[in-house]
Amino acid sequence: MKAKAGNYLSLLERRYACKRFSAEYKPDKDTISYILECGRLAPSSFGLEPWHFMVFSSDDTIKSLGDLCFSQEAVYTSSFAVTILVRKGDCYESDSDFIRTRSERFPGGYGVFRPDYQPYHEFLQSVHRTEHWARAQSYIAASFMMLGAASIGLDSCPIEGFDEDALLRFLKKDEQQWLPGIVLAFGKRDEEIRQKIRQPLENLVEFI
Ligand SMILES: Cc1cc2nc3c(=O)[nH]c(=O)nc-3n(C[C@H](O)[C@H](O)[C@H](O)COP(=O)(O)O)c2cc1C
């Protein structure tokens, strides 16, 4: 199941945003666990792991998710899908239970963590960036999952087109505490792989 060392670029080439998945493919539990494990190992700001992975694997829930994603075919046809939620709100306050619990896992615990974290949190708050910062975490876990999928020959599509409030209602998650970062659809493609359309590096890069 593991990608060979040195094979990373070919994984990046292989992954593409699949828009139609095959109905034939049914994932086993190990495959879904592998994808989730890839997300679990993703880095997060201050190591806070602010996410929660919600898995859709039954026909009914996938149909409901498709409805919530503006009827996108990639979702309706997926074999399973993961919504990455991230925490929002007061939990990021430096004296919250969440920050205390998470930080206790690290060397020095909360006593060392807090003086490092608090000024950055205050800065994020002052520029109204906390929610953006939290949401950005989900993209990193998403990348890890999609590349993990590619490493075992599975296709995926990142989906940002969803009705955020309706999705939270469907998941029975408090909108004051959670926000949906991204939805990922997984399966085996039922279409040709599309060529990469990318800018050449010289258009993107500047060395200073
Ligand atoms: C954050 C994000 C959100 C996206 N949302 C959607 C989406 O809602 N529906 C969709 O079909 N593709 C979505 N895409 C896929 C992009 O359109 C696709 O990745 C891009 O066109 C590049 O193509 P490639 O991934 O095949 O290389 C999304 C991609 C990202 C990174």
Side-chain angles (χ1 to χ4, degrees):
M1 289 230 291
K2 283 184 187 151
K4 283 189 196 135
N7 223 9
Y8 188 59
L9 266 186
S10 67
L11 277 187
L12 300 182
E13 293 280 355
R14 171 66 179 74
R15 186 221 55 83
Y16 81 106
C18 179
K19 305 294 164 99
R20 196 175 64 244
F21 297 95
S22 163
E24 314 272 288
Y25 172 69
K26 301 285 173 216
D28 55 29
K29 274 193 175 156
D30 284 353
T31 301
I32 298 178
S33 298
Y34 173 75
I35 300 298
L36 297 170
E37 179 66 0
C38 292
R40 189 181 76 91
L41 292 174
S44 56
S45 184
F46 284 91
L48 288 175
E49 301 171 72
W51 42 59
H52 192 66
F53 305 149
M54 308 227 41
V55 182
F56 297 70
S57 56
S58 70
D59 290 350
D60 284 354
T61 56
I62 287 172
K63 161 81 174 70
S64 301
L65 183 63
D67 293 346
L68 295 163
C69 294
F70 308 125
S71 302
Q72 296 198 53
E73 190 179 17
V75 181
Y76 281 139
T77 60
S78 65
S79 303
F80 69 101
V82 178
T83 295
I84 304 181
L85 301 179
V86 288
R87 289 166 195 271
K88 66 184 265 200
D90 293 349
C91 70
Y92 297 117
E93 294 298 326
S94 52
D95 58 354
S96 72
D97 287 346
F98 174 67
I99 293 297
R100 282 173 193 273
T101 313
R102 285 289 200 263
S103 64
E104 282 305 340
R105 308 174 301 162
F106 302 129
Y110 182 61
V112 167
F113 186 90
R114 182 177 177 160
D116 191 25
Y117 171 78
Q118 187 169 3
Y120 186 61
H121 172 64
E122 285 171 5
F123 165 72
L124 286 177
Q125 290 286 79
S126 71
V127 292
H128 310 290
R129 237 180 65 196
T130 308
E131 206 162 288
H132 172 82
W133 166 80
R135 192 188 294 270
Q137 315 293 315
S138 68
Y139 296 142
I140 301 172
S143 296
F144 273 51
M145 288 189 199
M146 289 189 290
L147 290 171
S151 77
I152 54 170
L154 210 60
D155 298 294
S156 63
C157 188
I159 303 276
E160 208 175 34
F162 50 78
D163 180 333
E164 199 161 317
D165 296 340
L167 181 53
L168 284 174
R169 276 197 302 278
F170 177 79
L171 295 171
K172 298 187 173 57
K173 293 287 180 189
D174 182 352
E175 63 182 20
Q176 302 299 321
Q177 292 183 43
W178 294 99
L179 64 93
I182 191 163
V183 170
L184 300 171
F186 294 100
K188 296 254 185 183
R189 66 189 169 83
D190 186 22
E191 60 179 18
E192 291 300 311
I193 296 180
R194 273 182 297 283
Q195 291 297 309
K196 285 271 165 299
I197 301 170
R198 293 292 190 271
Q199 291 285 310
L201 264 189
E202 57 266 30
N203 289 3
L204 302 174
V205 180
E206 224 174 305
F207 290 88
I208 52 170

